[in-house]
Amino acid sequence: GESEVKEKKEEETKEEEQVIPHEASVLSALKVNKKMKMVVCHVTLLDGSQFSCEVEKRAKGQYLFFQVCEQLNLLEKDYFGLSFKDNAEQRCWLDPTKEIKRQIRNSQWQFAFSVKFYPPDPSQLTEDITRYLLCLQLRQDIASGRLPCSFVTHALLGSYTLQAELGDHDPEEHRLDCISDFQFAPNQTKELEEKVVELHKSHRGMTPAQSDAQFLENAKKLSMYGVDLHHAKDSEGVDIMLGVCANGLLIYKDRLRINRFAWPKILKISYKRSNFYIKIRPGEAEQFESTVGFKLPNHRAAKRVWKVCVEHHTFFRLVSPEQPTKTKFLTLGSKFRYSGRTQAQTRQASSLIDRPTPYFQRTSSKRISRSLDGGIALHLLCLCVTGTLGHFSSQGGEEFIVRQRERRGGGVPCSATKHEHLHPADQRRARGGTGGGVYSTSPALAQAIKEAKEQHPDMSVTRVVVHKETELAEDED
């Protein structure tokens, strides 16, 4: 009997010994998780407010981006992105598929939430909150001078801003000295403020959401709307700007557009060292393809332009993103491909949104303070990041074939908004219904809209020097 008891005790001891290592491994895993380093990220939102949240030090960009979108209650998120400044003070977009730590390197964990892809037709956005955020971005672009406007367009857009934020014009509440606290233009004059007030009076009965829609309807027609500019030189060493947008690649000299290459006209884009190349499809009377070359400040700048071209072409022209190629064609350099949803996909998803219109607090776009030197310190301006995208090192050149699997025709029609939350100052005056109501019009407003439409005639296109197409040797940098 004693031997049986001993055997049982030995078996129990063995079982305990087997269990203990398992428990110890679980506990050690928990300890590792507890020791997981957390970092506080600070994100500047489009209204100038700060959003902070903790993320794991090895978290990917998409985790932080989704946290911000959840905070904003934003579903149509694909038009937006998070950016940060690199050591050279260049704006870089946070890649959602890569670890944040590897991208920012030695930079601070400070980011800005911004519009990355400007929708060509904002009326096709489904939700008011998305249009509102786009308005905030455009007001920054205008206030900083990044989006140039004529006098009448500054006034027209400013009047819609006042209507959205203040409601109907009230002579007692909205005196001219109060209006001067708003920022409508980089160099604002008394004459402009008076014109803004005059046009504001004609918007009576317009709700904040309708005011935003009218603001966007006029802003989208500006020639620099949604254009991402990059400093470069042409083949003759002349300083130019390369502009990437939804429609293709634009060339500017002395702030005038001198050429335009639409996406369907471009066969291939590539970069090699500090040079950026586009291969152009031959015209009807031409026999050979031609390549246009541009000189960028350095290798990273060349790749940055290439990368933003890849992203814009994929987002606006393709039905779905292309998978990285497995052929020997791209043997060197970055295998970067845009991994998010395309505009066609996000419109499809937006058409399926079925929720009550989210309530959101509209913030004032007034100037916050005046700096000691007499200049205007505007919280919007500190958010405006001009210049170029990205900072990614790679070896050798990289090409991107512009596929002809492009989307044809318009996108998926979006359902109209059914409900609206009115601005407090507008509730007592707003008319019922949300669909295009008839507003009181005035000759001044009609004239302003007419002038705004006529302000950007097509620029004359000058000849661009091209060099004969040759195969680019794939030697490493």
Side-chain angles (χ1 to χ4, degrees), residues 44 237 272 334 342 424 464:
T44 305
K272 186 173 182 61
S334 167
T342 64
V464 171

Side-chain angles (χ1 to χ4, degrees), residues 277-464:
Y277 302 97
I278 57 173
K279 184 187 283 188
I280 308 300
R281 187 186 305 280
E284 291 180 4
E286 298 168 331
Q287 192 173 358
F288 302 104
E289 298 163 349
S290 57
T291 296
V292 185
F294 304 96
K295 183 81 172 175
L296 277 294
N298 51 51
H299 172 260
R300 281 182 176 168
K303 181 171 182 182
R304 200 175 290 137
V305 177
W306 173 83
K307 188 168 180 282
V308 75
C309 282
V310 171
E311 291 182 318
H312 274 70
H313 175 267
T314 305
F315 184 80
F316 289 109
R317 296 292 297 178
L318 300 188
V319 175
S320 60
E322 289 192 319
Q323 297 301 314
T325 180
K326 293 182 181 178
T327 65
K328 293 182 180 179
F329 184 68
L330 297 176
T331 54
L332 297 174
S334 167
K335 299 211 169 25
F336 170 79
R337 290 293 181 271
Y338 173 69
S339 59
R341 288 195 296 203
T342 64
Q343 181 175 236
Q345 290 173 325
T346 195
R347 280 179 177 173
Q348 176 69 51
S350 296
S351 68
L352 301 175
I353 292 175
D354 184 21
R355 66 170 180 175
T357 303
Y359 174 77
F360 56 93
Q361 187 67 44
R362 290 173 182 271
T363 56
S364 173
S365 59
K366 288 184 180 181
R367 304 165 184 167
I368 288 183
S369 62
R370 296 177 183 271
S371 59
L372 295 176
D373 63 358
I376 297 161
L378 176 66
H379 74 282
L380 297 180
L381 296 186
C382 69
L383 285 174
C384 256
V385 273
T386 56
T388 55
L389 275 185
H391 125 244
F392 299 84
S393 61
S394 76
Q395 299 296 319
E398 183 61 78
E399 294 180 333
F400 177 75
I401 299 297
V402 182
R403 305 290 179 192
Q404 294 314 301
R405 186 169 53 81
E406 297 183 338
R407 174 171 50 81
R408 303 296 181 194
V412 179
C414 297
S415 57
T417 309
K418 294 178 182 177
H419 309 286
E420 283 184 343
H421 291 275
L422 304 186
H423 191 278
D426 204 20
Q427 284 177 351
R428 67 182 183 274
R429 306 184 188 100
R431 298 179 180 179
T434 61
V438 178
Y439 315 115
S440 57
T441 57
S442 68
L445 176 61
Q447 182 64 23
I449 293 173
K450 182 173 179 249
E451 288 178 21
K453 285 179 181 177
E454 294 171 352
Q455 71 167 307
H456 289 292
D458 288 338
M459 302 296 176
S460 58
V461 177
T462 61
R463 186 174 67 89
V464 171

Side-chain angles (χ1 to χ4, degrees), residues 182-199:
F182 285 81
Q183 178 84 1
F184 305 119
N187 302 305
Q188 195 160 301
T189 63
K190 209 75 176 171
E191 184 188 3
L192 175 63
E193 291 167 4
E194 289 170 355
K195 186 68 175 176
V196 168
V197 172
E198 179 191 349
L199 294 175

Side-chain angles (χ1 to χ4, degrees), residues 4 6 32 55 60 75 79 104 114 128 131 158 190 198 274 281 297 373 376 385 425 427 436 443 453 462 476:
E4 288 178 1
K6 282 181 181 178
V32 168
V55 301
K60 292 184 177 178
L75 292 183
Y79 297 96
I104 64 171
S114 314
D128 290 342
R131 279 186 284 271
K190 209 75 176 171
E198 179 191 349
S274 60
R281 187 186 305 280
D373 63 358
I376 297 161
V385 273
Q427 284 177 351
K453 285 179 181 177
T462 61
E476 295 188 19

